[in-house]
Amino acid sequence: MTQTYFTPERIQWLHSKQVNIIMSPRFLVIECIEVWGGGYFSRTGWSTHAPKDASPHWIGENFRRALLSSEYFANLAKDPPVDPADRAVMEKDSNVHRLAFWEEVASTYGYKKREQAGSCCDMVFAQWHYLVDDFVILTPSKRTTGGHFAWPSNTKQHKEKVMHVPLSVSDEDLGLAVQEALSRCEVPKRQTVNMLKR
């Protein structure tokens, strides 16, 4: 581990809570993520779903709850910062929870298979550097046949898409910000998912 790289300021910045917001033509999903270097479906945090036309207040309230329950597990005072045995146990348990959650989503919204529920969706990555400030970063994604990708950070177009929202705003305003971020997602063909782009 390079000690000069892990300055106190960088360690604070690396600690983050994360949430994924996913919208399909039928539903909206809020996934709580636990962070072990990479992000995994949370085993204990708040993940939930609602019909696509959920109110901004519902979105904001549940997004905030998911974000606050996200956990960061890397220990930068150790080398390696994540114990491989602990990670292996977590990954197995996380996957069980993820599959059960998405089976419920598929069943609730009339999909025959779990995999179908995850297709044709817009996705926003949310990240909060909770040791640094109270701003959550909402990053709309670009959907391709291979999945969802954040826009390149060195492009002007990407910078115009990313939103920074203080957590001190009301649930209603937080939900409206999430809806706006979803409207900035893009797909190779004409957008058909998001409620704000008609």
Side-chain angles (χ1 to χ4, degrees), residues 3 10 49-50 59 180 182 198:
Q3 295 300 326
R10 180 159 181 80
H49 55 83
I59 296 171
E180 173 60 29
L182 283 163
R198 300 185 186 278

Side-chain angles (χ1 to χ4, degrees), residues 24-85:
S24 86
R26 303 184 192 178
F27 62 79
L28 185 142
V29 158
I30 296 175
E31 280 186 340
C32 180
I33 303 300
E34 54 183 275
V35 183
W36 291 68
Y40 298 84
F41 189 92
S42 177
R43 298 162 292 169
T44 59
W46 180 250
S47 294
T48 189
H49 55 83
K52 178 187 172 184
D53 60 355
S55 70
H57 184 274
W58 184 93
I59 296 171
E61 179 182 28
N62 286 277
F63 172 71
R64 189 190 306 276
R65 183 174 177 183
L67 193 65
L68 292 174
S69 63
S70 172
E71 296 178 274
Y72 180 89
F73 287 98
N75 184 348
L76 297 177
K78 287 185 173 183
D79 190 10
V82 174
D83 184 278

Side-chain angles (χ1 to χ4, degrees), residues 12-133:
Q12 282 193 314
W13 185 84
L14 287 172
H15 279 73
S16 68
K17 294 178 179 284
Q18 297 179 20
V19 168
N20 295 335
I21 306 119
I22 302 153
M23 178 179 282
S24 86
R26 303 184 192 178
F27 62 79
L28 185 142
V29 158
I30 296 175
E31 280 186 340
C32 180
I33 303 300
E34 54 183 275
V35 183
W36 291 68
Y40 298 84
F41 189 92
S42 177
R43 298 162 292 169
T44 59
W46 180 250
S47 294
T48 189
H49 55 83
K52 178 187 172 184
D53 60 355
S55 70
H57 184 274
W58 184 93
I59 296 171
E61 179 182 28
N62 286 277
F63 172 71
R64 189 190 306 276
R65 183 174 177 183
L67 193 65
L68 292 174
S69 63
S70 172
E71 296 178 274
Y72 180 89
F73 287 98
N75 184 348
L76 297 177
K78 287 185 173 183
D79 190 10
V82 174
D83 184 278
D86 289 345
R87 190 205 293 263
V89 171
M90 175 278 300
E91 287 181 346
K92 184 176 180 180
D93 199 20
S94 169
N95 195 47
V96 168
H97 282 77
R98 179 183 62 83
L99 293 177
F101 176 83
W102 279 97
E103 287 287 358
E104 178 185 315
V105 170
S107 174
T108 300
Y109 302 101
Y111 294 91
K112 293 182 179 180
K113 296 182 179 180
R114 182 187 67 248
E115 295 79 9
Q116 293 173 328
S119 64
C120 297
C121 294
D122 287 338
M123 186 170 183
V124 169
F125 304 101
Q127 186 172 37
W128 173 32
H129 301 288
Y130 60 96
L131 297 181
V132 178
D133 55 37

Side-chain angles (χ1 to χ4, degrees), residues 152-169:
S153 59
N154 60 348
T155 65
K156 181 180 179 183
Q157 186 179 27
H158 171 265
K159 291 177 182 178
E160 291 174 348
K161 289 178 176 292
V162 175
M163 299 173 62
H164 294 75
V165 184
L167 284 174
S168 56
V169 302

